[in-house]
Amino acid sequence: MYADGEQRRDSYSSFVATRLDNCPLVPLTDLLPLVEDPAAFEAEPRALDVPAGEVRHPGVFGRLRRSQPIAVHEFDFLRSITAAPVKVALPGPYLLTRTMWMDCIADNVHATREQIAADIVAVLREEVTDLLDAGVSLVQLDEPVLSEVVFSPPKNKRSFMCGALSESEGPEHELAFARELVNAVVEGLPRERIALHVCRGNWTPDESVALAGSYAPLIPTLAGMRVGAYLLEACTPHAGDMELLQQLPADARIGVGVVNQKQQAIESADEIAGRIERAIGLFGADRVLLHPDCGFATFADNPICSMQVAEGKLAAIAQAAQRLGGR
């Protein structure tokens, strides 16, 4: 399955602002005057190794409308060079809601977080429908902020985790809200062509600042989302043992991360083949999908790894898969 690597996006999620009405991109540092404690807010990206002066963030200044496609043009490009199945990734509705809703802005056109979420669900549902109608084999919804909900300590301030600047309520409320939003986007669409991705943060090669924890607190929420595939981290030690993923619906495919994009060393084909064989033993060969733990691009001006390393890791995955397929 092919994907275009999101290389033309400002970031894996903020690029949506360049495609929607009333939602321009603004430098993250321009938001400092709008938050309660600018110094504390500025310190968080610095501690997380995020180049705040280079990162741009969506600013919502009107009702969100989709007068042009968000990512259909990326699929059109891929289809011009390959007839193979294609996957297109989109930021999920919970991530976009947490990113775009900032209650610290006094003149919000949306009165509540639920109102902006409704706009986001509508535009994503239009986009996913158009992608599927165009022939995309698998649409992936990215919801990394679910990790922030369950793995971060309790707090009542804004977090930069994956660009999510809005405040959150307790984990039970946030997980239920995220599940409802995803299901609203995909309702009635072919479940087998919808995937969900979750990670523990992918903004820096410094894995020590990434969130850590097993999938245990996320399993009920993931299982309650009407998707046909889960594309998850399994290579990083921060993710715990993938045996827990056996608790996900038995008719869903399990995407297993077999290389760690944060590490610059390229994994050997033998190492990757061992991870693939373990996944097949747990889930069965017909359910297993292979991919990197997370994306290589991250920010356009600050990629998580070089093009050469990304190509090397992808080539190693292909070599390992071919080796196992020949047995």
Side-chain angles (χ1 to χ4, degrees):
M1 188 171 294
Y2 282 67
D4 86 336
E6 305 176 14
Q7 297 297 312
R8 289 167 290 180
R9 300 180 178 183
D10 180 78
S11 83
Y12 79 102
S13 63
S14 66
F15 83 99
V16 170
T18 67
R19 312 295 296 181
L20 296 181
D21 300 342
N22 302 315
C23 188
L25 280 173
V26 296
L28 187 63
T29 48
D30 285 3
L31 299 174
L32 291 176
L34 302 176
V35 301
E36 296 92 338
D37 189 342
F41 178 78
E42 190 174 22
E44 183 170 5
R46 190 182 310 116
L48 296 174
D49 196 28
V50 173
E54 300 175 21
V55 175
R56 298 188 297 166
H57 190 274
V60 179
F61 299 99
R63 293 294 302 275
L64 296 173
R65 294 288 185 268
R66 176 183 171 271
S67 59
Q68 63 178 327
I70 297 172
V72 175
H73 62 291
E74 296 178 355
F75 170 70
D76 291 339
F77 165 74
L78 270 177
R79 181 52 73 233
S80 73
I81 60 174
T82 180
V86 169
K87 180 190 82 171
V88 172
L90 294 171
Y94 179 68
L95 168 63
L96 288 179
T97 298
R98 287 282 305 275
T99 301
M100 294 181 176
W101 169 248
M102 289 185 289
D103 56 343
C104 54
I105 299 178
D107 58 348
N108 265 316
V109 68
H110 299 89
T112 65
R113 186 172 69 154
E114 288 70 23
Q115 286 185 6
I116 198 170
D119 276 4
I120 289 167
V121 165
V123 298
L124 281 180
R125 185 169 173 80
E126 290 177 10
E127 181 70 15
V128 173
T129 300
D130 283 355
L131 286 167
L132 295 176
D133 288 346
V136 172
S137 296
L138 192 66
V139 175
Q140 169 183 310
L141 298 176
D142 294 329
E143 289 291 6
V145 188
L146 294 177
S147 296
E148 186 257 359
V149 170
V150 297
F151 300 137
S152 288
K155 59 188 175 184
N156 57 7
K157 65 177 183 179
R158 289 170 182 78
S159 166
F160 181 75
M161 165 64 185
C162 292
L165 296 179
S166 67
E167 293 177 310
S168 63
E169 300 186 28
E172 184 177 351
H173 176 89
E174 294 301 309
L175 293 177
F177 186 42
R179 183 182 65 248
E180 291 170 4
L181 294 182
V182 168
N183 286 341
V185 170
V186 304
E187 183 180 2
L189 299 178
R191 177 171 166 262
E192 68 278 4
R193 296 172 66 189
I194 307 292
L196 185 85
H197 168 70
V198 177
C199 72
R200 290 156 182 75
N202 193 41
W203 56 82
T204 172
D206 183 2
E207 195 155 22
S208 68
V209 303
L211 296 169
S214 81
Y215 286 101
L218 286 172
I219 292 291
T221 299
L222 298 180
M225 293 178 174
R226 292 190 287 272
V227 300
Y230 301 92
L231 308 183
L232 304 171
E233 292 178 309
C235 191
T236 173
H238 283 216
D241 197 292
M242 64 179 168
E243 187 173 358
L244 280 171
L245 302 180
Q246 289 180 303
Q247 299 175 41
L248 292 173
D251 59 347
R253 289 176 291 174
I254 306 297
V256 176
V258 291
V259 297
N260 186 343
Q261 77 290 341
K262 293 186 180 70
Q263 297 178 358
Q264 298 304 295
I266 297 173
E267 293 86 345
S268 70
D270 286 342
E271 184 180 0
I272 295 169
R275 292 178 181 140
I276 296 172
E277 289 182 313
R278 180 152 192 271
I280 290 174
L282 289 171
F283 312 116
D286 58 332
R287 294 180 65 199
V288 173
L289 299 172
L290 307 177
H291 54 83
D293 265 3
C294 196
F296 296 116
T298 310
F299 303 114
D301 299 325
N302 188 45
I304 197 74
C305 63
S306 70
M307 185 72 73
Q308 291 74 23
V309 170
E311 289 175 348
K313 288 177 179 282
L314 291 174
I317 294 175
Q319 183 180 353
Q322 289 167 0
R323 182 179 303 175
L324 290 175
R327 291 183 183 179

